[in-house]
Amino acid sequence: MVFKVVTGSDHAGFKMKQEIIDYLKKRNIEVIDAGTYSEESVDYPDIAQKVAKKVLDLNCLGILVCGTGVGMSITANKFKGIRCALCYNEYATEYARKHNNANIIALGARTMNIIEAKKMLDVFIKTPFEGGRHERRLNKIKELGG
Ligand code: RB5
């Protein structure tokens, strides 16, 4: 079970992020929110990099929300040690943890509803990495510079 997560969104993901923060706090998960803090327009790379750096510093999980999740995931994956998965259902989320050891999940506020997002977050937070043969595969990603 995870007890600490870093969250971040741009303006498009702001409302969903706030709902996610409330949801996690009610479940006694410590949330470190890297912004944004309103619906005023911001550039998603500025937020994604803050979250990626914090996740690496604290060795915890992160949650990024933008319109589609695409821009956030592209940016976060520029950081060595970040494995950001743009997830679209519970199955993809489960295997992003089990097989890919994803440390950030990217969600699209314009492509899914909050009910789906919460179900995916439950899976993301409770599912451990399986290791074994998957570790070997992740090492191959590391060799590529990831
Ligand atoms: C903002 O309009 C939108 O481009 C952003 O939230 C995101 O979807 C980018 O990938």
Side-chain angles (χ1 to χ4, degrees), residues 18-63:
Q18 296 311 111
E19 288 188 63
I20 287 170
I21 291 171
D22 289 346
Y23 181 66
L24 296 175
K25 283 186 173 168
K26 277 184 196 140
R27 305 184 72 215
N28 291 321
I29 294 169
E30 183 186 340
V31 178
I32 296 146
D33 185 23
T36 189
Y37 304 109
S38 76
E39 285 188 280
E40 193 180 322
S41 182
V42 290
D43 298 334
Y44 60 80
D46 296 339
I47 304 294
Q49 67 171 289
K50 281 188 191 172
V51 170
K53 287 174 185 167
K54 271 268 176 242
V55 164
L56 292 170
D57 275 1
L58 302 173
N59 190 27
C60 65
L61 296 181
I63 299 164

Side-chain angles (χ1 to χ4, degrees), residues 64-102:
L64 283 168
V65 192
C66 65
T68 58
V70 174
M72 289 297 198
S73 59
I74 291 172
T75 311
N77 280 318
K78 295 288 178 196
F79 288 79
K80 196 174 161 64
I82 291 295
R83 292 170 301 281
C84 178
L86 172 52
C87 293
Y88 40 87
N89 62 24
E90 289 170 77
Y91 183 87
T93 306
E94 181 180 343
Y95 283 87
R97 289 286 306 131
K98 278 185 175 171
H99 287 189
N100 311 117
N101 200 13

Side-chain angles (χ1 to χ4, degrees), residues 99-119:
H99 287 189
N100 311 117
N101 200 13
N103 50 9
I104 300 183
I105 186 171
L107 302 172
R110 294 173 179 164
T111 59
M112 69 182 65
N113 62 48
I114 186 67
I115 296 164
E116 291 167 324
K118 283 176 181 173
K119 282 186 195 162

